[in-house]
Amino acid sequence: MNAMLEVRDFSANDREVDSDRFITELQSMSDAAPCRTIVYCGFPIYRDFEDNPLETDYLAILQDKGVFLIQALAYREDSKEETPKERLEKLCAHLYSRLLKHSALRKGMHQLAFNIYPCFYDPEKRLDSQDDSVLLLHHASDLWRIGDPSRAGTFNIEALDQLLPILEGSDVLRVKRTRVKSSGARDDRYRASLDQLENEMARFDESQRSAIHPANPGFQRIRGLAGSGKTVVLAMKAAITALREPKTEIIVTFWTKSLYQHVQDLVTRFYRTQDDRPPNAKLLRIMHGWGGKNASGVYYEICRANNIIPMTLRGAQIASPNDEPFDTACKRALDEYRGIPIADYIMIDEGQDFPTSFVRLCTKAARLGVIIAFDELQNIFQTGVPSIEELTTDATERTHSDLMLRRCYRNPRPIIVVAHAIGFGLYGKRPVQMLENRSHWEDIGYQIEKGTFTPHSETVIQRPKSHSIAIIEDTFSPDEIIRCEISSDINDETEWVAQAIQTDIKNGLLPEDILVVSADSRNAKNYLARVARKLQASGIQVNNTHTDQFNLHGFVERGAVTLTTVQKSKGNEAFMVYVVGCDAQFLAGRSVRARNMIFVAMTRAKAWLRLSGIGAPMEKLVTEIREAKKRYPKLVFQYPTQEEITSLKRDLVSNTTEAESTIEELQEILRKLPADQVKEILDNWDRKSEQ
């Protein structure tokens, strides 16, 4: 296809764009396109005053002419209630009034800065006449020959860049914040780069747009690294499905309780880009995966609908002490399920955190389909995504599809590459986990430069710049993006963090741009309390989520630095992230669980990352990070043997609660020893494990 023509398809999958006459005609003549042309199919979708959906057939944007709103007579049956022109007028009125709300698109107080042309596409020439208010297209390429650019001037690139995110709804992702340059700022690059970064994040990329169709019957997986926009895609999918099919029952669910407000806000904001009213809360429901008497949840609602006695956490633990409690509860519900669904569609975020039994239960309880978003390597325990057969109860009966989002919006490239190096232990004594084949590395956005993936072969992979937002790495060096601090004790460490945050705020960051994560779960209360006291003494407010047992406050509060644990940070993010207590995880040596904790904490950062810890264990982490930076943007390692991979998997399986408790007890003992003695113990341990 000619680069001047771009088709963005938001239509239901039952109308294939490739077989669409209007699009086929445009593509056949695209070499003759005189200007950049963007065509939306089946979008935007509005709701009229009677709550009926108003779906656009095509909306075309021509860079030098304006916007063309096109209704295809060939696809429309004549309505007894309204004529085609009345329907087109109604769509134009909705589009004009919505765009006029945005000052960036206005010319004066009451006029858009560009023309909107209402058009009929009438290839069969059903209309014998027309009035001057509606343009007639007998062939799609007529689009490039009509219109009057002299009426409003050219539709320039700046106006186009403003219009697209507003039209698609991604503009709601841009949080309107004012960051003021401080007279005491040491480095104004921080403040300036965030404005650019927020604008870039508020845009859908091609792979995200391809996922934002209304839901269709069947099973769909949306896969990608953490921060690739899966939650956004799922929220937009829920909103657009509710707009197109107003009587459809939809449930959006997730694992992390603190995500509730974020998911609800996203769905509502996307919905309201097309309708002034909020979505019907009885038909579009947001709820946690488990739930109970005091809070709705998917599992609880399925049990209630099917007259199944729901299991509590304690009850599941007693029933099967050696199994994951939620898995136990869902397996029992599957056995007792009586065939009563609870929604038309169930959309599952954080799919990697749920047991497969929960997903299978949802495929039974959804009348039409399930859409599930998986984080590739949200944790390094997960080296593959379950198959369709594992996840569904009727894989052969329902259609299914897979979509991969390879671009990471959350993390700058230096952070994601270094986080993978640390998470897999590539520059430690030997890896703690490994992806098993070439295609999985490619799935998570890497390119293979060298390597046969055979035992002891050198493997060199690189993450392309295009798979991350480049604004931060174009402005800051890897050493400025990722910094480490080795402290003598917890007071020294938390004092360094507090001083650094004060500098961040002087450099133009807002308190809510900053997140402090304790990687030391045993001492999290002490760490976060110390940081809180030091910041409050400097007049900086904090939101300590660790003390908010019932999630009464949101994860982020305006004007406050967020303090949290690794577990509560999942699904959340910030521009500047401080990970404290890293040494607690590196006391565990090769522990997969320990590296996973660090990996999750590191990948909360949208721009800059600061890691701190105490003594020799922190020195080990710093050494690995230095090695990862030296080889950046590549990962270079020796591929393990099958026997070593099997051994790693056994280590993974044996990582039980009892073992984790033993590690925590050991950490407590080692903390009481002098740093030089701890270093001696660790060195001796390494020598023994090599023998």
Side-chain angles (χ1 to χ4, degrees):
M1 187 189 297
N2 190 296
M4 298 290 276
L5 174 64
E6 182 181 349
V7 177
R8 299 183 176 182
D9 179 27
F10 286 76
S11 62
N13 286 342
D14 55 5
R15 190 183 83 179
E16 296 291 338
V17 171
D18 291 342
S19 61
D20 189 302
R21 182 171 178 176
F22 180 82
I23 298 301
T24 301
E25 288 180 353
L26 271 185
Q27 291 172 339
S28 69
M29 300 291 290
S30 62
D31 288 340
C35 61
R36 185 183 176 193
T37 302
I38 300 170
V39 180
Y40 290 90
C41 302
F43 196 80
I45 303 171
Y46 300 121
R47 298 283 282 277
D48 64 18
F49 293 114
E50 288 77 40
D51 212 29
N52 298 312
L54 275 173
E55 181 182 341
T56 308
D57 284 337
Y58 309 100
L59 187 140
I61 302 170
L62 277 64
Q63 188 171 308
D64 68 345
K65 290 188 176 183
V67 176
F68 293 75
L69 187 63
I70 305 163
Q71 290 298 92
L73 296 181
Y75 302 129
R76 296 274 169 202
E77 295 293 332
D78 290 338
S79 170
K80 296 179 181 178
E81 298 179 0
E82 61 183 1
T83 66
K85 184 181 177 183
E86 287 171 340
R87 182 177 179 82
L88 186 58
E89 287 175 344
K90 193 185 291 184
L91 270 168
C92 273
H94 274 78
L95 177 63
Y96 194 94
S97 63
R98 292 207 158 269
L99 297 183
L100 196 64
K101 294 177 182 179
H102 298 271
S103 59
L105 304 181
R106 286 199 301 265
K107 179 183 178 183
M109 293 180 64
H110 308 294
Q111 185 180 356
L112 288 174
F114 47 86
N115 289 333
I116 295 180
Y117 299 98
C119 306
F120 283 128
Y121 172 56
D122 184 22
E124 306 298 333
K125 300 184 179 179
R126 295 167 60 186
L127 294 179
D128 296 328
S129 61
Q130 65 179 64
D131 58 51
D132 293 337
S133 63
V134 180
L135 300 176
L136 197 60
L137 310 177
H138 292 309
H139 190 278
S141 61
D142 292 343
L143 191 63
W144 292 314
R145 292 190 289 271
I146 61 176
D148 181 11
S150 65
R151 283 169 55 191
T154 57
F155 189 46
N156 58 35
I157 294 175
E158 290 75 17
L160 189 65
D161 287 342
Q162 292 281 355
L163 173 62
L164 296 182
I166 290 171
L167 189 65
E168 293 179 359
S170 62
D171 184 63
V172 303
L173 300 173
R174 185 187 292 118
V175 179
K176 307 297 189 295
R177 293 188 177 104
T178 302
R179 297 181 180 87
V180 180
K181 183 177 180 180
S182 169
S183 58
R186 300 178 185 176
D187 192 341
D188 194 49
R189 293 178 301 161
Y190 290 87
R191 180 194 62 82
S193 60
L194 285 192
D195 291 337
Q196 299 176 53
L197 188 59
E198 287 183 327
N199 287 335
E200 182 64 23
M201 285 179 168
R203 299 174 188 274
F204 294 135
D205 64 30
E206 185 176 347
S207 62
Q208 288 175 320
R209 279 191 219 100
S210 67
I212 304 173
H213 291 273
N216 284 282
F219 186 90
Q220 182 181 41
R221 296 187 300 184
I222 302 170
R223 299 163 55 193
L225 287 173
S228 55
K230 295 178 298 303
T231 301
V232 166
V233 166
L234 211 62
M236 185 64 168
K237 201 175 196 70
I240 200 172
T241 302
L243 285 160
R244 189 188 295 273
E245 303 172 32
K247 295 182 180 179
T248 299
E249 293 182 78
I250 303 166
I251 291 175
V252 183
T253 190
F254 43 87
W255 178 262
T256 306
K257 288 183 179 179
S258 60
L259 274 184
Y260 177 84
Q261 195 62 50
H262 175 61
V263 173
Q264 186 177 59
D265 287 348
L266 273 180
V267 172
T268 301
R269 278 191 274 165
F270 281 138
Y271 188 93
R272 295 195 67 172
T273 63
Q274 313 296 311
D275 188 351
D276 288 327
R277 295 158 295 187
N280 187 331
K282 293 181 180 179
L283 294 174
L284 178 48
R285 295 181 287 167
I286 316 296
M287 63 178 70
H288 187 249
W290 193 319
K293 291 181 179 179
N294 299 320
S296 62
V298 173
Y299 164 77
Y300 185 80
E301 294 298 320
I302 291 173
C303 289
R304 193 172 66 168
N306 287 273
N307 201 24
I308 300 168
I309 299 174
M311 298 183 76
T312 62
L313 172 62
R314 183 61 181 153
Q317 290 171 331
I318 293 172
S320 187
N322 296 323
D323 296 323
E324 198 276 319
F326 194 42
D327 189 29
T328 298
C330 290
K331 283 178 177 176
R332 180 172 293 185
L334 274 169
D335 292 338
E336 299 178 14
Y337 183 74
R338 301 185 181 187
I340 303 173
I342 63 168
D344 294 310
Y345 291 102
I346 299 178
M347 303 185 182
I348 306 170
D349 197 13
E350 302 183 299
Q352 73 288 340
D353 291 329
F354 286 101
T356 56
S357 56
F358 173 75
V359 182
R360 293 171 69 86
L361 187 60
C362 289
T363 63
K364 283 183 173 291
R367 296 183 192 91
L368 299 177
V370 170
I371 300 96
I372 181 167
F374 272 99
D375 277 353
E376 298 275 342
L377 298 182
Q378 165 67 27
N379 61 68
I380 54 173
F381 290 82
Q382 170 210 348
T383 55
V385 174
S387 67
I388 297 289
E389 289 72 24
E390 290 176 291
L391 292 172
T392 66
T393 56
D394 53 2
T396 58
E397 297 175 17
R398 292 193 182 189
T399 59
H400 59 269
S401 61
D402 248 347
L403 181 76
M404 179 63 69
L405 306 178
R406 290 187 170 86
R407 194 178 195 212
C408 181
Y409 277 79
R410 178 186 293 157
N411 311 125
R413 186 168 60 147
I415 290 178
I416 194 65
V417 171
V418 172
H420 280 143
I422 300 304
F424 283 107
L426 298 183
Y427 304 126
K429 295 296 182 182
R430 61 177 185 268
V432 301
Q433 184 58 290
M434 181 55 60
L435 300 184
E436 294 187 19
N437 54 59
R438 179 190 190 100
S439 63
H440 201 169
W441 282 110
E442 291 172 339
D443 280 348
I444 64 171
Y446 283 89
Q447 294 175 345
I448 314 303
E449 289 196 358
K450 179 182 178 182
T452 58
F453 296 88
T454 54
H456 302 306
S457 63
E458 185 182 36
T459 304
V460 181
I461 61 176
Q462 180 172 194
R463 187 164 187 84
K465 191 173 184 179
S466 60
H467 286 181
S468 298
I469 295 178
I471 291 166
I472 296 299
E473 71 168 298
D474 285 347
T475 309
F476 299 85
S477 70
D479 284 336
E480 290 176 309
I481 295 171
I482 305 171
R483 289 178 178 168
C484 301
E485 176 72 12
I486 303 172
S487 302
S488 58
D489 55 41
I490 190 171
N491 188 62
D492 182 38
E493 181 182 358
T494 52
E495 181 63 31
W496 176 80
V497 170
Q499 291 292 334
I501 289 174
Q502 290 178 53
T503 300
D504 293 337
I505 293 173
K506 286 180 181 178
N507 285 338
L509 271 66
L510 299 172
E512 58 264 36
D513 293 330
I514 304 167
L515 171 65
V516 180
V517 182
S518 175
D520 185 344
S521 55
R522 191 177 186 86
N523 295 289
K525 181 178 180 180
N526 189 14
Y527 261 111
L528 300 180
R530 284 172 178 266
V531 172
R533 284 197 299 270
K534 293 176 189 296
L535 290 178
Q536 288 168 336
S538 303
I540 300 171
Q541 297 302 307
V542 301
N543 174 31
N544 190 345
T545 69
H546 190 53
T547 60
D548 183 13
Q549 184 178 357
F550 300 104
N551 297 313
L552 299 176
H553 305 285
F555 189 81
V556 177
E557 286 189 358
R558 188 173 292 273
V561 174
T562 303
L563 312 180
T564 194
T565 60
V566 174
Q567 188 60 34
K568 283 195 172 183
S569 74
K570 288 179 64 179
N572 293 289
E573 57 198 28
F575 290 110
M576 175 69 79
V577 171
Y578 288 84
V579 185
V580 300
C582 295
D583 56 290
Q585 299 305 328
F586 266 69
L587 281 169
R590 292 181 61 245
S591 165
V592 176
R593 175 183 177 274
R595 288 186 178 271
N596 179 57
M597 292 277 282
I598 295 293
F599 175 81
V600 171
M602 292 175 73
T603 52
R604 301 308 94 200
K606 295 197 289 185
W608 306 280
L609 176 64
R610 307 291 182 252
L611 301 111
S612 63
I614 299 168
M618 185 61 193
E619 289 177 5
K620 287 195 167 193
L621 174 59
V622 171
T623 298
E624 290 188 27
I625 288 176
R626 284 197 193 110
E627 187 65 23
K629 285 181 181 178
K630 187 170 75 173
R631 297 173 183 267
Y632 169 80
K634 300 177 181 180
L635 294 175
V636 182
F637 55 94
Q638 197 174 73
Y639 200 74
T641 65
Q642 188 59 47
E643 182 180 319
E644 289 169 333
I645 291 174
T646 303
S647 174
L648 291 173
K649 286 186 174 181
R650 280 199 302 269
D651 290 345
L652 197 62
V653 171
S654 65
N655 190 22
T656 61
T657 303
E658 183 180 352
E660 293 171 9
S661 177
T662 302
I663 288 171
E664 289 185 349
E665 290 173 8
L666 177 61
Q667 290 173 354
E668 186 66 19
I669 294 170
L670 291 175
R671 278 189 177 279
K672 297 176 181 178
L673 298 175
D676 57 347
Q677 192 171 348
V678 172
K679 186 175 187 303
E680 183 181 351
I681 291 171
L682 290 172
D683 289 341
N684 288 336
W685 177 263
D686 285 339
R687 281 195 293 272
K688 287 177 182 177
S689 27
E690 288 171 359
Q691 292 174 355

